[in-house]
Amino acid sequence: GIQVEQSPPDLILQEGANSTLRCNFSDSVNNLQWFHQNPWGQLINLFYIPSGTKQNGRLSATTVATERYSLLYISSSQTTDSGVYFCAVDSGGGADGLTFGKGTHLIIQP
Amino acid sequence: EADIYQTPRYLVIGTGKKITLECSQTMGHDKMYWYQQDPGMELHLIHYSYGVNSTEKGDLSSESTVSRIRTEHFPLTLESARPSHTSQYLCASSLYGYTFGSGTRLTVV
């Protein structure tokens, strides 16, 4: 099946810093989503972005489907940005459902 | 915005008990999913459904079972809970993007 690799696995930053999270995938995809999982375990959808660029406030994402990677940018980090960021893809072939990467554990220190 | 609901949010139960985790969505989506997640780890697909009377097993083997009698309802059942079933279970539905419920944290003692 499709492989999803996220980097870095862990990231510790000071409040106000900017960061870039990367997601590489091994095959063409019909769907790519970025999620934020908060300390209570809730999975919040950030972007549905199988290709192109989107922005939502301090967050933006870019997916280059032909080169099989996606980037999530967080600007002016706040402590509430802490948590785990997951990239997940759906190749559309074979078994259905999203395949998740192992996530990036982000800690924003005040 | 979150139109997919899971109950209970937390459950602590003894070994050997039968449990059902509830999942309901009001978006009219045909596709629904159950994922299992251990603390700090990635999510793994255990069941999915394309619509009423459709159920399939996911990539991760699970002793749980599911049913899809109504479009909006996709419950997950464990006939005899064991400590190895302790995990978080997340339900999702999709049209294009996926929407997840808040999850059920299950602890079997």
Side-chain angles (χ1 to χ4, degrees):
Chain A
I2 193 167
Q3 305 297 314
V4 182
E5 293 185 1
Q6 291 187 243
S7 60
D10 301 282
L11 188 58
I12 301 174
L13 298 172
Q14 294 297 121
E15 202 167 20
N18 301 329
S19 59
T20 301
L21 281 56
R22 186 177 179 100
C23 172
N24 293 332
F25 43 95
S26 61
D27 204 346
S28 58
V29 297
N30 288 340
N31 177 18
L32 186 148
Q33 285 182 254
W34 283 97
F35 296 93
H36 175 218
Q37 189 165 43
N38 63 26
W40 297 271
Q42 293 178 304
L43 207 61
I44 309 299
N45 178 54
L46 298 176
F47 293 103
Y48 167 75
I49 187 165
S51 63
T53 297
K54 291 185 177 179
Q55 181 159 5
N56 184 4
R58 296 181 296 103
L59 273 62
S60 63
T62 296
T63 297
V64 183
T66 53
E67 297 188 21
R68 298 181 183 170
Y69 74 89
S70 183
L71 302 173
L72 176 69
Y73 305 96
I74 305 174
S75 65
S76 303
S77 299
Q78 300 175 0
T79 55
T80 52
D81 294 332
S82 297
V84 184
Y85 289 81
F86 286 105
C87 171
V89 302
D90 178 356
S91 64
D96 207 350
L98 289 171
T99 298
F100 280 76
K102 294 184 183 297
T104 292
H105 296 245
L106 176 64
I107 297 174
I108 305 297
Q109 296 178 332
Chain B
E1 177 186 330
D3 295 333
I4 183 163
Y5 306 98
Q6 290 187 243
T7 58
R9 183 73 180 92
Y10 301 93
L11 179 61
V12 180
I13 200 162
T15 298
K17 299 292 186 182
K18 177 180 178 179
I19 60 171
T20 296
L21 308 184
E22 302 289 347
C23 176
S24 296
Q25 51 100 1
T26 59
M27 297 173 282
H29 291 167
D30 285 327
K31 294 184 178 181
M32 295 189 73
Y33 311 84
W34 277 103
Y35 285 82
Q36 184 175 344
Q37 183 187 28
D38 292 330
M41 305 295 285
E42 69 265 45
L43 284 72
H44 292 284
L45 181 68
I46 53 174
H47 298 283
Y48 61 98
S49 167
Y50 289 121
V52 171
N53 294 325
S54 155
T55 60
E56 304 286 344
K57 290 190 178 295
D59 303 323
L60 181 67
S61 176
S62 174
E63 295 171 341
S64 59
T65 59
V66 292
S67 62
R68 190 85 182 276
I69 298 173
R70 303 198 315 268
T71 297
E72 64 271 21
H73 195 214
F74 191 39
L76 181 146
T77 298
L78 278 165
E79 291 292 335
S80 180
R82 295 207 300 269
S84 61
H85 297 139
T86 295
S87 190
Q88 173 161 251
Y89 295 84
L90 292 119
C91 180
S93 71
S94 75
L95 180 58
Y96 296 107
Y98 290 62
T99 301
F100 281 80
S102 298
T104 294
R105 288 188 187 270
L106 173 65
T107 302
V108 184
V109 297

